[in-house]
Amino acid sequence: MARSYNCLLFCFIVLFIIPPTTSISNTSSKPKALALLVSKDSSTLQYLTQIKQRTPLVPVKLTLDLGGQFLWVDCDQGYVSTSYKPARCGSAQCKLARSKSCIDEYSCSPGPGCNNHTCSRFPANSISRESTNRGELATDVVSIQSIDIDGKANPPGQFVSVPNLIFSCGPTFLLDGLATGVKGMAGLGRTQVSLPSQFSAAFNFDRKFSICLSSSTTSNGAVFFGDVPFPNIDVSKSLIYTPLILNPVHNEGLAFKGDPSTDYFIEIKSILIGGNVVPLNTSLLSINKQGNGGTKVSTADPYTVLETSIYKAFIETFSKALLFNIPRVKPIAPFGACFNSSFIGGTTAPEIHLVLPGNNRVWKIYGANSMVRVGKDAMCLAFVDGGVNPRTSVVIGGYQLEDNLLEFNLAKSRLGFSSSLLSWQTTCSKLTSNF
């Protein structure tokens, strides 16, 4: 009964709350896919994107949050829009967002982010790990670049719009720790009000999206919504797939009781470096009843984070797997293992294999994604210590995702990955050069 109700509700939202797209460039056809360009901020190492929102449309700079529940923006400062609509308690939008909160006694002046008898969710800053219960749900116009059937951007300036995209207002203090000029976060997580879910509903796409992060701060990567036909690449045959795992416990920031995690978890069976097994407590690789442990993929962490005992064994195994007796240098924070750059580089680092369930299913991490240059004389292992008893034992961070095409298929609950596009003689910046 509950499943039938959710289906009816979702269909109602698709047909009436989020009507078919209106093209800003006056085209009559629906887009085949959508794209958000993504850049890497050199100061914070955050991955940034930009949408156009409101009436009249204004560009809004955002930090990408792979596991984020929804789009949230600062409504305290400078939010002006004639199409802003707060989500009233009990409305279809509130039900779709699974809100259990109704606010009737705001003490602030009425306006975006401050309206009585509205429902709320809890916007969270996944960088600073701060969240708040001040998160009025609302809808407004959002426009985004469309893509044609050939995997190229439609004519310059051609955007399509979602007239009533659900998002959350956040207070200004929640921007602390985000890159300069950022006004919120673009949530891509496992909810019905994340950007992938809403775009797929509005444009009748397959429930999937792909990310391709550039390793350069001077060229772009992208997030693709829908089924993007990349030139000369058969994605379905080129990627390796592994199941996405649902963590039943929301253990990051504020949440309603019973909310599952919105992050993307996968199962790792073991870790090999240069063919050698990293000795570790394998129970840490499973999610326990409290929702702790396991492995997730994240754009909020710039480097892969490992629980302390895993990290120590990882460094030791890596050092032993080096082909030559390469001299170590003093560690440079946040890294725990650094080497003389005259003796080691991306091509001399041993391969790291994350062994997944199934036959020959391995996420391979090559030197370009395992070693990072720090200063003039050091190359450091781009993995960091996550401490004892962290909520998640392994967090695969942004550096290990760069120049790696990842497809998150929500309908089939699976993750596809390329390991490294460099082995395909291409990069994320080349794949996104048409946009």
Side-chain angles (χ1 to χ4, degrees), residues 91-357:
S91 66
Q93 295 98 327
C94 297
K95 292 175 182 177
L96 190 67
R98 300 181 63 178
S99 172
K100 301 175 184 177
S101 173
C102 182
I103 300 174
D104 276 317
E105 296 183 359
Y106 266 125
S107 58
C108 49
S109 300
C114 189
N115 293 277
N116 285 331
H117 199 60
T118 55
C119 63
S120 67
R121 286 294 309 194
F122 307 123
N125 180 331
S126 58
I127 306 297
S128 66
R129 304 295 195 261
E130 293 289 333
S131 58
T132 178
N133 59 4
R134 274 190 59 200
E136 177 176 284
L137 280 177
T139 64
D140 212 334
V141 176
V142 165
S143 73
I144 182 172
Q145 173 73 58
S146 64
I147 301 174
D148 67 18
I149 192 94
D150 297 319
K152 299 179 181 179
N154 280 323
Q158 183 162 314
F159 289 75
V160 291
S161 69
V162 178
N164 295 288
L165 188 126
I166 300 169
F167 73 104
S168 176
C169 280
T172 302
F173 76 80
L174 208 57
L175 299 176
D176 290 350
L178 300 183
T180 301
V182 164
K183 297 300 181 183
M185 303 194 79
L188 308 179
R190 301 183 74 169
T191 73
Q192 288 188 311
V193 290
S194 66
L195 291 181
S197 293
Q198 292 197 69
F199 287 146
S200 67
F203 301 107
N204 198 28
F205 292 155
D206 289 338
R207 293 183 60 229
K208 67 170 67 173
F209 70 97
S210 303
I211 65 171
C212 204
L213 304 177
S214 174
S215 58
S216 171
T217 57
T218 59
S219 59
N220 290 322
V223 180
F224 302 101
F225 303 95
D227 204 354
V228 180
F230 294 105
N232 304 318
I233 298 177
D234 186 340
V235 172
S236 63
K237 295 181 180 179
S238 301
L239 300 183
I240 298 172
Y241 291 93
T242 192
L244 288 169
I245 297 173
L246 180 65
N247 185 338
V249 181
H250 193 293
N251 56 15
E252 296 284 347
L254 297 173
F256 293 116
K257 185 177 180 180
D259 280 351
S261 172
T262 60
D263 285 303
Y264 294 96
F265 282 79
I266 61 173
E267 181 181 2
I268 290 179
K269 307 294 288 186
S270 62
I271 302 174
L272 278 67
I273 302 178
N276 302 306
V277 177
V278 177
L280 52 85
N281 179 358
T282 55
S283 67
L284 294 171
L285 301 180
S286 299
I287 301 171
N288 63 23
K289 293 181 179 179
Q290 290 73 43
N292 298 326
T295 300
K296 73 177 183 181
V297 185
S298 170
T299 56
D301 294 275
Y303 303 99
T304 291
V305 183
L306 303 174
E307 183 272 342
T308 291
S309 67
I310 298 176
Y311 183 70
K312 290 179 179 179
F314 187 88
I315 288 179
E316 184 176 354
T317 306
F318 182 89
S319 298
K320 290 180 179 179
L322 291 171
L323 296 177
F324 308 101
N325 187 22
I326 297 175
R328 296 269 290 265
V329 298
K330 184 178 179 179
I332 303 171
F335 308 110
C338 296
F339 304 85
N340 189 314
S341 60
S342 299
F343 298 90
I344 190 171
T347 57
T348 56
E351 285 186 17
I352 299 168
H353 289 185
L354 306 181
V355 182
L356 308 170

Side-chain angles (χ1 to χ4, degrees), residues 17-66:
I17 303 302
I18 307 178
T21 176
T22 301
S23 173
I24 302 304
S25 61
N26 296 321
T27 182
S28 59
S29 61
K30 286 188 177 182
K32 304 301 181 182
L34 306 173
L36 283 176
L37 291 180
V38 177
S39 62
K40 185 177 182 180
D41 182 67
S42 59
S43 298
T44 62
L45 304 183
Q46 293 169 24
Y47 299 97
L48 309 182
T49 189
Q50 180 176 281
I51 63 169
K52 292 182 179 180
Q53 188 199 39
R54 312 171 197 179
T55 303
L57 288 170
V58 297
V60 181
K61 191 176 180 180
L62 304 164
T63 293
L64 197 68
D65 186 4
L66 179 62

Side-chain angles (χ1 to χ4, degrees), residues 303 318 322 326 335 337-341 344-350 352 365-374 378-383 399-400:
Y303 303 99
F318 182 89
L322 291 171
I326 297 175
F335 308 110
C338 296
F339 304 85
N340 189 314
S341 60
I344 190 171
T347 57
T348 56
I352 299 168
I365 301 176
Y366 301 101
N369 292 103
S370 68
M371 303 298 296
V372 59
R373 179 175 291 276
V374 183
M379 290 286 287
C380 297
L381 186 58
F383 295 74
Y399 193 77
Q400 281 67 44

